[in-house]
PDB file of all heavy atoms in Angstrom:
ATOM      1  N   ALA A 100      49.993  27.585 101.581  1.00  0.00           N
ATOM      2  CA  ALA A 100      50.253  28.898 102.169  1.00  0.00           C
ATOM      3  C   ALA A 100      51.465  29.558 101.507  1.00  0.00           C
ATOM      4  O   ALA A 100      52.299  28.893 100.884  1.00  0.00           O
ATOM      5  CB  ALA A 100      50.488  28.754 103.669  1.00  0.00           C
ATOM      6  N   THR A 101      51.541  30.865 101.674  1.00  0.00           N
ATOM      7  CA  THR A 101      52.629  31.661 101.108  1.00  0.00           C
ATOM      8  C   THR A 101      53.451  32.273 102.234  1.00  0.00           C
ATOM      9  O   THR A 101      52.909  32.687 103.255  1.00  0.00           O
ATOM     10  CB  THR A 101      52.049  32.801 100.242  1.00  0.00           C
ATOM     11  OG1 THR A 101      51.249  32.230  99.218  1.00  0.00           O
ATOM     12  CG2 THR A 101      53.133  33.647  99.623  1.00  0.00           C
ATOM     13  N   VAL A 102      54.759  32.333 102.029  1.00  0.00           N
ATOM     14  CA  VAL A 102      55.646  33.068 102.927  1.00  0.00           C
ATOM     15  C   VAL A 102      56.414  34.089 102.097  1.00  0.00           C
ATOM     16  O   VAL A 102      56.651  33.890 100.907  1.00  0.00           O
ATOM     17  CB  VAL A 102      56.628  32.157 103.703  1.00  0.00           C
ATOM     18  CG1 VAL A 102      55.897  31.267 104.683  1.00  0.00           C
ATOM     19  CG2 VAL A 102      57.502  31.356 102.773  1.00  0.00           C
ATOM     20  N   ILE A 103      56.785  35.155 102.749  1.00  0.00           N
ATOM     21  CA  ILE A 103      57.559  36.204 102.091  1.00  0.00           C
ATOM     22  C   ILE A 103      59.020  36.019 102.472  1.00  0.00           C
ATOM     23  O   ILE A 103      59.361  35.913 103.648  1.00  0.00           O
ATOM     24  CB  ILE A 103      57.071  37.612 102.528  1.00  0.00           C
ATOM     25  CG1 ILE A 103      55.566  37.743 102.362  1.00  0.00           C
ATOM     26  CG2 ILE A 103      57.822  38.699 101.762  1.00  0.00           C
ATOM     27  CD1 ILE A 103      55.038  37.424 100.972  1.00  0.00           C
ATOM     28  N   VAL A 104      59.866  35.988 101.445  1.00  0.00           N
ATOM     29  CA  VAL A 104      61.304  35.761 101.625  1.00  0.00           C
ATOM     30  C   VAL A 104      62.052  36.975 101.086  1.00  0.00           C
ATOM     31  O   VAL A 104      61.758  37.462  99.992  1.00  0.00           O
ATOM     32  CB  VAL A 104      61.739  34.484 100.871  1.00  0.00           C
ATOM     33  CG1 VAL A 104      63.228  34.254 101.015  1.00  0.00           C
ATOM     34  CG2 VAL A 104      60.945  33.282 101.358  1.00  0.00           C
ATOM     35  N   VAL A 105      63.028  37.451 101.845  1.00  0.00           N
ATOM     36  CA  VAL A 105      63.851  38.585 101.430  1.00  0.00           C
ATOM     37  C   VAL A 105      64.949  38.079 100.501  1.00  0.00           C
ATOM     38  O   VAL A 105      65.565  37.043 100.755  1.00  0.00           O
ATOM     39  CB  VAL A 105      64.474  39.281 102.660  1.00  0.00           C
ATOM     40  CG1 VAL A 105      65.451  40.366 102.244  1.00  0.00           C
ATOM     41  CG2 VAL A 105      63.395  39.866 103.558  1.00  0.00           C
ATOM     42  N   HIS A 106      65.202  38.830  99.432  1.00  0.00           N
ATOM     43  CA  HIS A 106      66.342  38.544  98.554  1.00  0.00           C
ATOM     44  C   HIS A 106      67.601  39.063  99.250  1.00  0.00           C
ATOM     45  O   HIS A 106      67.888  40.253  99.229  1.00  0.00           O
ATOM     46  CB  HIS A 106      66.171  39.222  97.192  1.00  0.00           C
ATOM     47  CG  HIS A 106      65.107  38.621  96.339  1.00  0.00           C
ATOM     48  ND1 HIS A 106      65.139  37.323  95.884  1.00  0.00           N
ATOM     49  CD2 HIS A 106      63.967  39.166  95.842  1.00  0.00           C
ATOM     50  CE1 HIS A 106      64.069  37.079  95.151  1.00  0.00           C
ATOM     51  NE2 HIS A 106      63.328  38.182  95.113  1.00  0.00           N
ATOM     52  N   ARG A 107      68.334  38.166  99.872  1.00  0.00           N
ATOM     53  CA  ARG A 107      69.502  38.540 100.682  1.00  0.00           C
ATOM     54  C   ARG A 107      70.586  39.245  99.869  1.00  0.00           C
ATOM     55  O   ARG A 107      71.355  40.031 100.402  1.00  0.00           O
ATOM     56  CB  ARG A 107      70.092  37.303 101.370  1.00  0.00           C
ATOM     57  CG  ARG A 107      69.145  36.642 102.343  1.00  0.00           C
ATOM     58  CD  ARG A 107      69.074  37.406 103.624  1.00  0.00           C
ATOM     59  NE  ARG A 107      68.099  36.788 104.512  1.00  0.00           N
ATOM     60  CZ  ARG A 107      67.430  37.432 105.415  1.00  0.00           C
ATOM     61  NH1 ARG A 107      67.633  38.701 105.597  1.00  0.00           N
ATOM     62  NH2 ARG A 107      66.555  36.821 106.171  1.00  0.00           N
ATOM     63  N   GLU A 108      70.643  38.951  98.570  1.00  0.00           N
ATOM     64  CA  GLU A 108      71.682  39.564  97.742  1.00  0.00           C
ATOM     65  C   GLU A 108      71.534  41.080  97.652  1.00  0.00           C
ATOM     66  O   GLU A 108      72.479  41.787  97.324  1.00  0.00           O
ATOM     67  CB  GLU A 108      71.717  38.943  96.341  1.00  0.00           C
ATOM     68  CG  GLU A 108      70.468  39.140  95.516  1.00  0.00           C
ATOM     69  CD  GLU A 108      69.368  38.098  95.732  1.00  0.00           C
ATOM     70  OE1 GLU A 108      69.485  37.266  96.658  1.00  0.00           O
ATOM     71  OE2 GLU A 108      68.399  38.130  94.974  1.00  0.00           O
ATOM     72  N   ARG A 109      70.377  41.604  97.986  1.00  0.00           N
ATOM     73  CA  ARG A 109      70.152  43.052  97.968  1.00  0.00           C
ATOM     74  C   ARG A 109      70.622  43.717  99.263  1.00  0.00           C
ATOM     75  O   ARG A 109      70.666  44.946  99.356  1.00  0.00           O
ATOM     76  CB  ARG A 109      68.666  43.375  97.773  1.00  0.00           C
ATOM     77  CG  ARG A 109      67.994  42.886  96.520  1.00  0.00           C
ATOM     78  CD  ARG A 109      68.283  43.677  95.266  1.00  0.00           C
ATOM     79  NE  ARG A 109      68.181  45.102  95.306  1.00  0.00           N
ATOM     80  CZ  ARG A 109      67.128  45.820  94.939  1.00  0.00           C
ATOM     81  NH1 ARG A 109      66.035  45.223  94.510  1.00  0.00           N
ATOM     82  NH2 ARG A 109      67.163  47.129  94.976  1.00  0.00           N
ATOM     83  N   GLY A 110      70.974  42.918 100.260  1.00  0.00           N
ATOM     84  CA  GLY A 110      71.352  43.466 101.561  1.00  0.00           C
ATOM     85  C   GLY A 110      72.544  44.399 101.525  1.00  0.00           C
ATOM     86  O   GLY A 110      72.654  45.312 102.345  1.00  0.00           O
ATOM     87  N   GLY A 111      73.446  44.196 100.588  1.00  0.00           N
ATOM     88  CA  GLY A 111      74.624  45.055 100.491  1.00  0.00           C
ATOM     89  C   GLY A 111      74.265  46.512 100.255  1.00  0.00           C
ATOM     90  O   GLY A 111      74.949  47.418 100.743  1.00  0.00           O
ATOM     91  N   GLU A 112      73.183  46.745  99.519  1.00  0.00           N
ATOM     92  CA  GLU A 112      72.741  48.118  99.253  1.00  0.00           C
ATOM     93  C   GLU A 112      72.351  48.817 100.557  1.00  0.00           C
ATOM     94  O   GLU A 112      72.662  49.986 100.764  1.00  0.00           O
ATOM     95  CB  GLU A 112      71.545  48.111  98.294  1.00  0.00           C
ATOM     96  CG  GLU A 112      71.851  47.557  96.921  1.00  0.00           C
ATOM     97  CD  GLU A 112      70.600  47.361  96.095  1.00  0.00           C
ATOM     98  OE1 GLU A 112      69.853  48.345  95.896  1.00  0.00           O
ATOM     99  OE2 GLU A 112      70.362  46.213  95.659  1.00  0.00           O
ATOM    100  N   VAL A 113      71.683  48.076 101.414  1.00  0.00           N
ATOM    101  CA  VAL A 113      71.250  48.637 102.690  1.00  0.00           C
ATOM    102  C   VAL A 113      72.449  48.807 103.622  1.00  0.00           C
ATOM    103  O   VAL A 113      72.625  49.864 104.239  1.00  0.00           O
ATOM    104  CB  VAL A 113      70.167  47.748 103.343  1.00  0.00           C
ATOM    105  CG1 VAL A 113      69.757  48.298 104.697  1.00  0.00           C
ATOM    106  CG2 VAL A 113      68.962  47.600 102.425  1.00  0.00           C
ATOM    107  N   ARG A 114      73.288  47.770 103.703  1.00  0.00           N
ATOM    108  CA  ARG A 114      74.465  47.848 104.585  1.00  0.00           C
ATOM    109  C   ARG A 114      75.365  49.021 104.217  1.00  0.00           C
ATOM    110  O   ARG A 114      75.918  49.681 105.101  1.00  0.00           O
ATOM    111  CB  ARG A 114      75.236  46.533 104.556  1.00  0.00           C
ATOM    112  CG  ARG A 114      74.576  45.429 105.366  1.00  0.00           C
ATOM    113  CD  ARG A 114      75.478  44.195 105.514  1.00  0.00           C
ATOM    114  NE  ARG A 114      75.782  43.573 104.236  1.00  0.00           N
ATOM    115  CZ  ARG A 114      74.985  42.722 103.586  1.00  0.00           C
ATOM    116  NH1 ARG A 114      73.815  42.400 104.112  1.00  0.00           N
ATOM    117  NH2 ARG A 114      75.353  42.195 102.438  1.00  0.00           N
ATOM    118  N   ALA A 115      75.503  49.299 102.925  1.00  0.00           N
ATOM    119  CA  ALA A 115      76.354  50.414 102.493  1.00  0.00           C
ATOM    120  C   ALA A 115      75.828  51.748 103.034  1.00  0.00           C
ATOM    121  O   ALA A 115      76.623  52.620 103.437  1.00  0.00           O
ATOM    122  CB  ALA A 115      76.442  50.452 100.970  1.00  0.00           C
ATOM    123  N   LEU A 116      74.522  51.911 103.059  1.00  0.00           N
ATOM    124  CA  LEU A 116      73.935  53.157 103.544  1.00  0.00           C
ATOM    125  C   LEU A 116      74.074  53.318 105.063  1.00  0.00           C
ATOM    126  O   LEU A 116      74.058  54.441 105.574  1.00  0.00           O
ATOM    127  CB  LEU A 116      72.467  53.245 103.133  1.00  0.00           C
ATOM    128  CG  LEU A 116      72.238  53.349 101.622  1.00  0.00           C
ATOM    129  CD1 LEU A 116      70.756  53.181 101.293  1.00  0.00           C
ATOM    130  CD2 LEU A 116      72.759  54.679 101.084  1.00  0.00           C
ATOM    131  N   TYR A 117      74.190  52.219 105.776  1.00  0.00           N
ATOM    132  CA  TYR A 117      74.343  52.257 107.232  1.00  0.00           C
ATOM    133  C   TYR A 117      75.792  52.078 107.686  1.00  0.00           C
ATOM    134  O   TYR A 117      76.065  52.021 108.890  1.00  0.00           O
ATOM    135  CB  TYR A 117      73.485  51.164 107.892  1.00  0.00           C
ATOM    136  CG  TYR A 117      72.015  51.476 107.907  1.00  0.00           C
ATOM    137  CD1 TYR A 117      71.141  50.842 107.034  1.00  0.00           C
ATOM    138  CD2 TYR A 117      71.489  52.402 108.803  1.00  0.00           C
ATOM    139  CE1 TYR A 117      69.784  51.111 107.052  1.00  0.00           C
ATOM    140  CE2 TYR A 117      70.132  52.689 108.823  1.00  0.00           C
ATOM    141  CZ  TYR A 117      69.290  52.044 107.948  1.00  0.00           C
ATOM    142  OH  TYR A 117      67.943  52.326 107.961  1.00  0.00           O
ATOM    143  N   ALA A 118      76.728  52.000 106.752  1.00  0.00           N
ATOM    144  CA  ALA A 118      78.126  51.717 107.118  1.00  0.00           C
ATOM    145  C   ALA A 118      78.675  52.747 108.105  1.00  0.00           C
ATOM    146  O   ALA A 118      79.279  52.380 109.121  1.00  0.00           O
ATOM    147  CB  ALA A 118      78.999  51.643 105.866  1.00  0.00           C
TER     148      ALA A 118
END
Side-chain angles (χ1 to χ4, degrees):
T101 302
V102 293
I103 308 306
V104 178
V105 174
H106 289 298
R107 297 283 177 208
E108 63 274 8
R109 300 283 312 264
E112 297 171 57
V113 178
R114 284 190 297 278
L116 294 170
Y117 285 105

